[in-house]
Amino acid sequence: MDLSQLSNVELMQLNQLTLDELERRDVIRTRNNPISEYTEWLVADKMQMVLAAPSTKGYDAITIDDRKIQIKSRKNNLKNRSLILGIIRNYDLNQFDELIAVIYNHDFSIRYAISIPHELVKEYGFYNEHQNGYTLRISNLLLNDPRVTDIIEFIDPDTERSKEEITVKPDSNTIRDVQTIGMQTFVEYYQYVERGMNTTDLVEKMVTDHPEWKESTARTKASSMRRVFKNGDNVEALKIIYKSNHPAITDEIKSKLMTLLDK
């Protein structure tokens, strides 16, 4: 079918018919988020789980040994290859035992499918006060954590990947933000942002610590730091700095970087 020959209305009608058929097959149930519902069905079907009722809070499926599983997904497109999952709320209520994350390529082939123990969400995630929950990015550090299980062979047995393909390439936006902030500055103020210091207080501290900086300079650095954390790229930024050969990154700073990375 040549979709370019269809009118806008015909394309919308085709989309409606597609959703109708997916609903008939019990792949989607509410149509609120077809990609999310498709992923829940896919994981449950391939891993022999029972889907929870659509209104269930905190988890989406139950395993044969009664473990509660929350399922998150993200579909990349040609312009956006983000690896940040949707907000994870009520973490401290311990409503799920594992989080399964599935990231799709543009053509719906699976880029990543991993099972993440509950405790790692807080360990690798970043608390978002505005959305009242944790954001979690599928980073190299997370992928290489021995507590994380690659389950792509269960979800898509035909997928063959080399070790290099499992590695996440640093986001160019993260590298640019680190350059804007300054590597030493990022390390110096990392723990303040990690503990939730707001932009106004961070700017004030930067100007106090560095009176030679203009307020606009401090605000740019502070805003960039907050963005890195909000996007869940803070650990990747630490790794970028650690691996750099910049003479400003002394052994003392590298030691502090290792402490931050080991947290």
Side-chain angles (χ1 to χ4, degrees), residues 14-25:
L14 180 61
N15 180 63
Q16 183 65 42
L17 289 171
T18 300
L19 294 176
D20 288 344
E21 180 58 24
L22 287 171
E23 189 171 41
R24 187 190 68 77
R25 299 183 186 188

Side-chain angles (χ1 to χ4, degrees), residues 81-93:
R81 291 177 60 81
S82 173
L83 297 175
I84 301 174
L85 303 176
I87 198 74
I88 302 165
R89 294 189 172 88
N90 300 318
Y91 172 83
D92 293 328
L93 297 181

Side-chain angles (χ1 to χ4, degrees), residues 2 4 79 84 136 148 207 211 229 239:
D2 186 355
S4 66
K79 294 183 179 180
I84 301 174
L136 183 66
V148 172
V207 171
F229 274 81
K239 291 176 70 177

